[in-house]
Amino acid sequence: MGNQNLNKNLKEIFNHQYIVPLYQRNYAWTEDEIAQLLQDLYENFKKFEINPYLNYFIGSLVVLKRKDGFYEVIDGQQRLTTLSILLKILGLVKSPKLFYESRPEVEAFFDSYYKNIKTKDIAFDHKVSHLINAVDLLNNSIINPDEKIEKRLSEIHSPDLFKKFVFENVILVLVEIPQETDVASYFEIMNNRGEQLKKHEILKSYLMETLKDEDGNYYQKQQDEFSKIWDACSQMDTHIQKLFSSGDRLKYFGDNYDEIYPVDFIEEEEEEEEEIIETLGFSINDALEKTVKKTDSININDIDDSGEDHSIIDFPNFLMHIFKIKYNTYSYNGNETEIPLNEKDLLNVYDGLKAKIEAKDFINDLLYYRTIFDRFIIKSSEDENQEDSYKWTLQKPSKYTYHKSEDSISHSLKYKNAFDSQDRLIKSISLLQVTFRNRKYKNWLQDILFLFSDKKNFRLSSIEYQEVIDQFIISYFEKNINESNYDQGVKVPHFLFNFIDYLYWVKSPALFDFKFTYRNSVEHHLSQSLNNPVQDNLGNLCLVSKSSNSRMNNESPVGKADSSSTGKYYKNGRIPPKQKRMYDLTNLNKKWEDYEIAKHKIEVIQLLNARVDILGLQAD
């Protein structure tokens, strides 16, 4: 293979056999990475149709050739594993090309899968659950979420041309390290090498560079304040008020910490030479040196809150939302183009907007919308993969005053529920989050944040806010879902299942104790293996987690619905409402056949038809 002509298409890559050594971690790609891979492939395939000479570079693969002829995978095994499954699904490879050292269960999985091209006959084992999950995701993930008619891999137009594109025009940069390389030292070098600057750090430097006078002298105080606010806003997993000192908290958020005030930048006069940085240029490193460490000048003793939450988006994606709210379009190749939410376009969008952007205004908007985001958008409090312990939160800051002694009064920052009654708000917003998880296509979040461009909405009541969320959900249903979607088996839109669960709960909250989590596998209550014509009927379907789907393969409907203490899936009723209704009907009649399926479908359709009344909205 050598180190000449490093660009290899997948056909060339999979002419060789690879082994993943024991020191490498297990396969760990989830829905985010797999869906993104498929969407990127599809987007570049559409470009390939216009320009058949186009290559798509998908990343790198670092290998070491062993004496037995195998190539040991040093870096890139997650992508390589995913591609090996994808090529089997597309029928482009006939036998396994990827092997795992001292992991017999993984070898058995690939051997069985390549023979049968199915996962339902593979015995469930937690050691291969991510691989089973990957197969399901590659087959069922939406590849074109920005288009009105959703497609999966099997529904792609021009399938033969797509296969040709994937096999011959998708390129990996293949790097073969010398056989005498000390692999342990190589890893140490890789881990210790300096990371490249992130795009949002570069954007920060561009904006700070504009904080100067007519003679090109930089305002130090303005830069320091800009940097302090930017760095706080970038820490998306922490509520914004926690990231400022008590003095700054009062300055930006008011006496009770629950307002938002514009930043009043100090106007530095030229004669105040000590306040002006005289420099011939401003580098990115200058901006990074101004990064405020998380503990700098923050009195953590006055923060009486140890909760840990996780944001549903990252900072680059948040910046894209701000750009779109403020400007909607940017100049690209001489044309006004709608601003995307994909963070990979961050610097391109800035380049098309920079003539319009004023750094002080932008940092004010950033702080304002970050405060809105924390107050009106849910956060998660646990790992999204831990279904049983998962929790959504919606909180706002409050100032707590207490007496340390008779003569001493102190204050602390606490967090409490954003609204007195917010269970339904959390349900509705989490419905949108688990359905439209991909950051690149969170149009619902853009709509919510845009609502607050009218700043009087900062005081929106829970009732008013709930109506906004419910109207969005209803509108999406009416524009995108119809009865043709109901009986499509695994192709039924996941939104439909989540909407049904939401309607059941709003109608009868006392009957259902559940929360929305990342369930993304369509389960047939009456097994597909029976080849019953009603198996793909909406009345026979519910949404479960991938691991639950795999474990249920060999269970009968009565076994799945077992509500006794030995039941594995009923979980004391803490399951989504539609699934619970199916199980309750099964237990009522001691069976689940055509009659029960038809009856449940009628009930669900009646529920959907009553959606406006159930949600208490005004009909259009």
Side-chain angles (χ1 to χ4, degrees):
M1 288 163 65
N3 59 2
Q4 301 298 314
N5 190 19
L6 300 181
N7 299 339
K8 304 290 182 182
N9 62 27
L10 296 190
K11 184 176 182 180
E12 294 172 305
I13 291 289
F14 284 90
N15 267 336
H16 303 278
Q17 292 185 314
Y18 303 87
I19 189 161
V20 177
L22 189 59
Y23 59 77
Q24 291 274 20
R25 64 175 178 153
N26 291 325
Y27 181 73
W29 268 23
T30 61
E31 183 177 10
D32 278 349
E33 294 90 357
I34 291 173
Q36 191 64 61
L37 172 70
L38 289 174
Q39 290 159 18
D40 289 344
L41 285 173
Y42 180 67
E43 285 182 9
N44 283 277
F45 170 61
K46 291 190 293 183
K47 297 175 183 176
F48 169 79
E49 289 182 295
I50 299 171
N51 177 11
Y53 299 102
L54 176 76
N55 287 330
Y56 172 47
F57 287 82
I58 201 170
S60 62
L61 176 65
V62 181
V63 298
L64 171 71
K65 189 172 184 178
R66 291 184 171 186
K67 292 179 180 179
D68 58 9
F70 280 86
Y71 288 93
E72 183 175 320
V73 180
I74 306 299
D75 190 39
Q77 67 113 339
Q78 302 286 325
R79 183 180 292 105
L80 189 66
T81 301
T82 308
L83 290 172
S84 70
I85 298 173
L86 174 64
L87 294 188
K88 179 58 182 174
I89 290 172
L90 296 176
L92 295 171
V93 291
K94 295 181 180 179
S95 59
K97 299 291 184 180
L98 186 60
F99 303 89
Y100 283 74
E101 192 172 61
S102 300
R103 297 177 197 176
E105 67 284 343
V106 178
E107 298 259 346
F109 164 81
F110 276 108
D111 184 61
S112 176
Y113 180 66
Y114 269 74
K115 286 178 181 176
N116 303 316
I117 200 71
K118 318 177 185 180
T119 58
K120 69 178 183 178
D121 296 328
I122 299 174
F124 179 79
D125 185 321
H126 72 278
K127 294 180 180 178
V128 298
S129 60
H130 278 81
L131 294 168
I132 294 172
N133 188 34
V135 174
D136 292 341
L137 288 170
L138 285 165
N139 278 307
N140 298 316
S141 292
I142 302 303
I143 62 174
N144 62 332
D146 56 337
E147 296 177 4
K148 185 171 183 180
I149 300 176
E150 295 180 342
K151 293 179 183 177
R152 291 166 178 81
L153 195 60
S154 61
E155 300 162 325
I156 202 165
H157 62 278
S158 307
D160 290 337
L161 187 61
F162 179 72
K163 291 178 184 179
K164 174 180 170 63
F165 164 72
V166 169
F167 215 30
E168 298 179 10
N169 293 77
V170 173
I171 306 296
L172 276 170
V173 178
L174 185 63
V175 179
E176 182 182 336
I177 63 176
Q179 288 188 336
E180 64 272 14
T181 301
D182 182 339
V183 175
S185 297
Y186 179 83
F187 266 111
E188 185 177 353
I189 292 170
M190 289 178 65
N191 290 333
N192 291 334
R193 67 188 175 187
E195 293 185 3
Q196 290 185 338
L197 288 174
K198 297 176 181 177
K199 290 181 179 179
H200 67 83
E201 293 171 331
I202 297 172
L203 175 60
K204 173 188 174 184
S205 75
Y206 287 164
L207 291 169
M208 286 180 64
E209 196 273 341
T210 67
L211 297 174
K212 57 188 177 182
D213 64 17
E214 295 178 354
D215 297 323
N217 298 310
Y218 294 98
Y219 293 132
Q220 183 176 355
K221 287 184 178 179
Q222 293 185 9
Q223 287 182 344
D224 287 345
E225 185 151 33
F226 183 102
S227 182
K228 175 173 57 183
I229 295 169
W230 182 281
D231 294 334
C233 288
S234 71
Q235 299 177 52
M236 297 293 291
D237 289 338
T238 304
H239 282 271
I240 189 69
Q241 293 84 4
K242 292 182 184 180
L243 296 166
F244 291 103
S245 66
S246 56
D248 283 333
R249 199 181 304 140
L250 185 68
K251 173 182 175 181
Y252 299 138
F253 306 108
D255 187 56
N256 291 314
Y257 308 153
D258 63 349
E259 300 286 346
I260 178 66
Y261 296 128
V263 181
D264 185 17
F265 281 94
I266 298 171
E267 291 294 335
E268 297 168 289
E269 299 296 336
E270 270 189 56
E271 58 268 19
E272 296 177 349
E273 295 181 3
E274 70 279 5
E275 302 294 346
I276 300 176
I277 304 172
E278 295 188 5
T279 178
L280 297 176
F282 185 86
S283 71
I284 290 172
N285 286 333
D286 293 329
L288 295 181
E289 286 175 3
K290 292 179 178 295
T291 297
V292 179
K293 294 180 180 179
K294 197 170 183 179
T295 57
D296 283 353
S297 69
I298 298 176
N299 177 16
I300 61 174
N301 293 323
D302 74 341
I303 300 176
D304 189 12
D305 180 273
S306 59
E308 292 186 7
D309 295 314
H310 303 282
S311 171
I312 62 172
I313 60 173
D314 59 18
F315 185 54
N317 187 238
F318 183 67
L319 289 169
M320 297 303 294
H321 278 281
I322 306 305
F323 278 147
K324 190 164 186 176
I325 290 169
K326 284 181 61 62
Y327 304 104
N328 191 45
T329 64
Y330 73 111
S331 178
Y332 182 68
N333 288 338
N335 299 312
E336 281 298 307
T337 304
E338 184 177 357
I339 293 174
L341 296 178
N342 192 342
E343 54 265 33
K344 74 178 184 181
D345 297 309
L346 182 63
L347 295 181
N348 287 335
V349 169
Y350 170 74
D351 191 57
L353 289 173
K354 59 186 178 183
K356 302 178 181 178
I357 295 178
E358 205 284 321
K360 297 175 189 177
D361 290 341
F362 188 83
I363 203 70
N364 265 300
D365 287 323
L366 184 63
L367 182 59
Y368 171 74
Y369 284 107
R370 178 58 211 279
T371 307
I372 291 293
F373 180 84
D374 281 359
R375 184 163 179 158
F376 290 92
I377 303 299
I378 55 171
K379 294 183 186 293
S380 61
S381 61
E382 296 290 344
D383 182 346
E384 65 191 36
N385 295 314
Q386 302 300 314
E387 185 174 321
D388 291 336
S389 61
Y390 208 66
K391 182 181 178 182
W392 300 105
T393 62
L394 188 63
Q395 296 185 317
K396 68 177 182 179
S398 65
K399 184 179 181 180
Y400 175 68
T401 302
Y402 60 98
H403 293 271
K404 294 181 70 174
S405 64
E406 290 186 4
D407 301 321
S408 176
I409 297 177
S410 294
H411 308 286
S412 65
L413 171 65
K414 285 180 172 286
Y415 282 84
K416 61 182 181 181
N417 286 347
F419 301 96
D420 291 337
S421 178
Q422 61 181 38
D423 286 352
R424 181 167 163 183
L425 265 175
I426 290 177
K427 279 284 193 301
S428 55
I429 302 172
S430 60
L431 179 163
L432 293 170
Q433 167 59 16
V434 302
T435 305
F436 307 108
R437 181 179 173 185
N438 193 311
R439 294 189 299 268
K440 186 176 171 183
Y441 300 105
K442 281 197 191 309
N443 295 316
W444 66 269
L445 179 56
Q446 173 68 196
D447 285 358
I448 290 176
L449 292 175
F450 185 79
L451 171 71
F452 293 96
S453 59
D454 183 347
K455 295 190 175 181
K456 73 174 185 291
N457 287 331
F458 186 76
R459 292 298 176 191
L460 213 60
S461 70
S462 60
I463 294 174
E464 293 168 325
Y465 188 34
Q466 185 69 66
E467 184 173 350
V468 170
I469 304 296
D470 286 343
Q471 287 286 7
F472 182 94
I473 293 171
I474 286 274
S475 176
Y476 184 88
F477 173 81
E478 293 175 349
K479 289 178 180 177
N480 297 279
I481 306 295
N482 56 59
E483 291 194 18
S484 67
N485 301 119
Y486 291 177
D487 300 329
Q488 292 185 314
V490 297
K491 297 179 182 178
V492 173
H494 292 183
F495 170 84
L496 180 57
F497 291 111
N498 290 328
F499 185 42
I500 291 168
D501 286 336
Y502 181 55
L503 290 174
Y504 266 125
W505 181 82
V506 173
K507 184 179 180 182
S508 306
L511 296 180
F512 305 104
D513 180 13
F514 88 109
K515 54 182 173 286
F516 282 110
T517 59
Y518 295 98
R519 302 177 178 95
N520 48 18
S521 183
V522 176
E523 163 69 7
H524 292 74
H525 192 36
L526 184 67
S527 174
Q528 289 177 279
S529 63
L530 299 178
N531 294 319
N532 188 308
V534 300
Q535 67 185 26
D536 285 336
N537 186 301
L538 181 61
N540 185 48
L541 306 172
C542 61
L543 203 59
V544 299
S545 66
K546 294 290 183 184
S547 59
S548 293
N549 188 297
S550 299
R551 291 194 296 268
M552 289 178 180
N553 278 340
N554 299 318
E555 289 277 6
S556 69
V558 173
K560 295 174 190 176
D562 182 4
S563 59
S564 70
S565 59
T566 59
K568 292 183 287 186
Y569 308 110
Y570 199 90
K571 296 181 180 178
N572 297 320
R574 293 185 178 182
I575 51 179
K578 187 180 190 304
Q579 186 180 3
K580 184 176 185 299
R581 286 295 299 142
M582 292 165 63
Y583 286 5
D584 288 346
L585 282 171
T586 303
N587 292 327
L588 179 66
N589 297 334
K590 307 301 181 187
K591 63 179 181 178
W592 182 260
E593 296 175 355
D594 293 18
Y595 171 78
E596 288 77 22
I597 292 172
K599 181 177 180 180
H600 179 56
K601 181 179 178 180
I602 291 171
E603 177 181 297
V604 167
I605 291 176
Q606 289 174 340
L607 188 78
L608 291 167
N609 289 342
R611 58 189 178 273
V612 173
D613 289 337
I614 291 173
L615 298 184
L617 301 174
Q618 297 293 323
D620 291 335

Short mmCIF file of all heavy atoms in Angstrom, two decimals, residues 3 63-65 175-183 186:
data_model
loop_
_atom_site.label_atom_id
_atom_site.label_comp_id
_atom_site.label_asym_id
_atom_site.label_seq_id
_atom_site.Cartn_x
_atom_site.Cartn_y
_atom_site.Cartn_z
N ASN A 3 3.03 4.75 1.09
CA ASN A 3 2.52 6.06 1.47
C ASN A 3 2.39 6.98 0.27
O ASN A 3 2.31 8.18 0.41
CB ASN A 3 3.40 6.69 2.54
CG ASN A 3 4.83 6.85 2.08
OD1 ASN A 3 5.15 6.54 0.93
ND2 ASN A 3 5.69 7.34 2.97
N VAL A 63 -3.14 2.89 9.46
CA VAL A 63 -2.97 1.45 9.63
C VAL A 63 -1.49 1.10 9.76
O VAL A 63 -0.60 1.87 9.38
CB VAL A 63 -3.58 0.67 8.44
CG1 VAL A 63 -5.07 0.89 8.34
CG2 VAL A 63 -2.88 1.04 7.14
N LEU A 64 -1.25 -0.09 10.28
CA LEU A 64 0.09 -0.67 10.37
C LEU A 64 0.00 -2.07 9.76
O LEU A 64 -0.82 -2.90 10.20
CB LEU A 64 0.53 -0.76 11.83
CG LEU A 64 1.82 -1.53 12.11
CD1 LEU A 64 3.03 -0.75 11.60
CD2 LEU A 64 1.96 -1.82 13.61
N LYS A 65 0.83 -2.35 8.74
CA LYS A 65 0.76 -3.66 8.10
C LYS A 65 1.48 -4.70 8.95
O LYS A 65 2.64 -4.55 9.33
CB LYS A 65 1.39 -3.62 6.70
CG LYS A 65 1.16 -4.91 5.92
CD LYS A 65 1.61 -4.78 4.48
CE LYS A 65 1.28 -6.06 3.71
NZ LYS A 65 1.66 -5.97 2.28
N VAL A 175 -3.25 6.17 5.48
CA VAL A 175 -1.88 6.40 5.93
C VAL A 175 -1.36 5.12 6.55
O VAL A 175 -1.93 4.61 7.54
CB VAL A 175 -1.82 7.55 6.97
CG1 VAL A 175 -0.38 7.75 7.43
CG2 VAL A 175 -2.39 8.84 6.38
N GLU A 176 -0.30 4.57 5.95
CA GLU A 176 0.32 3.36 6.49
C GLU A 176 1.59 3.77 7.22
O GLU A 176 2.53 4.31 6.63
CB GLU A 176 0.65 2.39 5.37
CG GLU A 176 1.25 1.09 5.86
CD GLU A 176 1.62 0.15 4.72
OE1 GLU A 176 1.02 0.27 3.64
OE2 GLU A 176 2.52 -0.69 4.94
N ILE A 177 1.63 3.52 8.54
CA ILE A 177 2.81 3.88 9.31
C ILE A 177 3.84 2.76 9.20
O ILE A 177 3.49 1.59 8.98
CB ILE A 177 2.47 4.18 10.78
CG1 ILE A 177 1.91 2.94 11.48
CG2 ILE A 177 1.49 5.32 10.88
CD1 ILE A 177 1.63 3.15 12.96
N PRO A 178 5.13 3.07 9.33
CA PRO A 178 6.19 2.06 9.18
C PRO A 178 6.04 0.92 10.19
O PRO A 178 5.56 1.12 11.32
CB PRO A 178 7.47 2.85 9.41
CG PRO A 178 7.10 4.27 9.13
CD PRO A 178 5.68 4.41 9.55
N GLN A 179 6.47 -0.28 9.79
CA GLN A 179 6.32 -1.45 10.65
C GLN A 179 7.12 -1.32 11.95
O GLN A 179 6.75 -1.91 12.96
CB GLN A 179 6.75 -2.71 9.90
CG GLN A 179 5.75 -3.14 8.83
CD GLN A 179 6.09 -4.49 8.24
OE1 GLN A 179 7.24 -4.91 8.28
NE2 GLN A 179 5.09 -5.17 7.70
N GLU A 180 8.20 -0.55 11.92
CA GLU A 180 9.01 -0.43 13.13
C GLU A 180 8.45 0.60 14.11
O GLU A 180 9.02 0.85 15.16
CB GLU A 180 10.45 -0.05 12.77
CG GLU A 180 10.61 1.31 12.10
CD GLU A 180 10.46 1.24 10.58
OE1 GLU A 180 9.97 0.19 10.09
OE2 GLU A 180 10.82 2.23 9.91
N THR A 181 7.31 1.20 13.76
CA THR A 181 6.72 2.22 14.63
C THR A 181 6.31 1.63 15.97
O THR A 181 5.70 0.56 16.03
CB THR A 181 5.48 2.85 13.95
OG1 THR A 181 5.86 3.44 12.72
CG2 THR A 181 4.86 3.93 14.86
N ASP A 182 6.65 2.33 17.04
CA ASP A 182 6.18 1.97 18.37
C ASP A 182 4.76 2.52 18.51
O ASP A 182 4.55 3.73 18.65
CB ASP A 182 7.10 2.59 19.43
CG ASP A 182 6.68 2.21 20.85
OD1 ASP A 182 5.52 1.84 21.07
OD2 ASP A 182 7.54 2.29 21.75
N VAL A 183 3.78 1.62 18.44
CA VAL A 183 2.38 2.05 18.40
C VAL A 183 2.00 2.82 19.66
O VAL A 183 1.28 3.82 19.61
CB VAL A 183 1.44 0.84 18.20
CG1 VAL A 183 -0.02 1.28 18.29
CG2 VAL A 183 1.71 0.19 16.86
N TYR A 186 3.22 6.23 19.33
CA TYR A 186 2.45 6.92 18.31
C TYR A 186 1.15 7.48 18.91
O TYR A 186 0.78 8.63 18.68
CB TYR A 186 2.13 5.96 17.17
CG TYR A 186 1.30 6.57 16.05
CD1 TYR A 186 1.90 7.31 15.04
CD2 TYR A 186 -0.08 6.40 16.02
CE1 TYR A 186 1.14 7.86 14.02
CE2 TYR A 186 -0.84 6.95 15.01
CZ TYR A 186 -0.22 7.67 14.00
OH TYR A 186 -0.97 8.22 13.00
#
